Amino acid sequence: MEAADPDLPDAAVEHISHMLTLAKSKHQEAMALLGTPDPSAVPRLREVLRLLEEVELLADDASTYVETGVMKAALKDLHFQQASVQMAIAQLEQMTARSPWATPWPWITIMALALIIAQALR
């Protein structure tokens, strides 16, 4: 951990280090989920948002012990990422509400009808 306060007990430094390690791990998991293609992206994006919220809690907690410019910048970047994911969720939900073809049900119905017609033609 960078620039730890020399007045902090070793247990506090260890706790902060653990929180930041966990936050980094959760952030990496969230970013990996963002790169995963998925026909139904909203549930995946909600999971990304949940992970980012956990990262924020951990980072906020760590920043109460150690307040550095790096922590402030990281939290600002994290808030930007959360806002971006929230905006993506809202846009996808709007698109789904406007277009019935954005959901899988019309496609499933068409495929089922095609299979029924194919069976009837045999």
Side-chain angles (χ1 to χ4, degrees):
M1 189 176 72
E2 152 190 338
D5 185 349
D7 296 332
L8 284 175
D10 288 342
V13 172
E14 183 66 30
H15 177 68
I16 295 165
S17 178
H18 179 69
M19 285 188 298
L20 292 176
T21 301
L22 185 57
K24 181 179 178 182
S25 171
K26 287 184 178 291
H27 188 265
Q28 288 172 340
E29 184 180 348
M31 294 301 105
L33 282 173
L34 280 178
T36 306
D38 186 348
S40 178
V42 174
R44 182 175 41 84
L45 289 174
R46 288 194 190 285
E47 176 64 10
V48 168
L49 191 56
R50 186 191 66 75
L51 287 167
L52 290 177
E53 287 168 355
E54 288 180 14
V55 170
E56 180 184 18
L57 288 173
L58 290 163
D60 275 342
D61 190 22
S63 71
T64 61
Y65 295 99
V66 179
E67 196 152 323
T68 66
V70 173
M71 285 294 286
K72 288 180 184 177
L75 283 168
K76 184 178 179 181
D77 189 43
L78 180 61
H79 291 148
F80 177 75
Q81 290 173 354
Q82 288 172 315
S84 296
V85 172
Q86 288 170 337
M87 190 169 55
I89 289 170
Q91 288 175 345
L92 285 171
E93 287 175 339
Q94 277 183 340
M95 188 173 59
T96 301
R98 284 193 309 240
S99 171
W101 295 101
T103 64
W105 295 114
W107 299 106
I108 292 171
T109 305
I110 290 172
M111 290 176 65
L113 285 173
L115 287 173
I116 292 170
I117 292 170
Q119 291 294 326
L121 294 177
R122 281 188 187 187

